[in-house]
Amino acid sequence: MKTVTVETFHGAEDYIREHGGRLFVWVGDAGLEHETTKPKEGIDFIELRGDGFSLYVDPAIEMPARWSLVFHRFPRPHVRALWNGGAWSAALPWLSPWEGEGPATAS
């Protein structure tokens, strides 16, 4: 497996640790990703170790060079997992994943 960087922002690491130290990312029936602190049944997740927590990724998601984990307070406290700094969706296959630093610098 290639090297994958896991970075955290805005309290994401603290939130994950406070909720059991695990974050799960998977693809739902509509082809969009979901992030929770409890696993979805029936998925053999790929584990990526962070500093004091683990990120578990659905193998249906192509592994990026970088996962950016960002804490959000609204509409409820949660962590969003960003694929190379942006969103990933199997529902929109014609959109290529962002490379580099994300949408602000994508060409």
Side-chain angles (χ1 to χ4, degrees):
M1 185 170 82
K2 67 182 178 180
T3 302
V4 179
T5 302
V6 178
E7 58 189 6
T8 58
F9 298 95
H10 309 294
E13 189 173 327
D14 292 336
Y15 180 87
I16 295 167
R17 285 184 186 152
E18 290 167 6
H19 290 86
R22 304 183 312 166
L23 184 71
F24 296 86
V25 180
W26 77 88
V27 178
D29 294 337
L32 300 174
E33 70 181 56
H34 300 275
E35 301 94 356
T36 65
T37 55
K38 300 200 185 308
K40 179 171 170 70
E41 295 291 323
I43 298 175
D44 281 332
F45 290 93
I46 298 167
E47 181 181 8
L48 302 173
R49 306 275 300 153
D51 185 20
F53 68 93
S54 291
L55 174 64
Y56 294 88
V57 180
D58 183 342
I61 299 174
E62 180 183 345
M63 198 61 69
R66 172 175 46 100
W67 282 104
S68 299
L69 307 180
V70 182
F71 176 72
H72 293 279
R73 296 186 188 284
F74 299 104
R76 57 169 174 58
H78 67 285
V79 172
R80 186 85 170 102
L82 302 176
W83 193 97
N84 277 344
W88 180 91
S89 172
L92 302 171
W94 61 86
L95 293 177
S96 62
W98 288 314
E99 296 296 330
E101 294 304 313
T105 60
S107 52

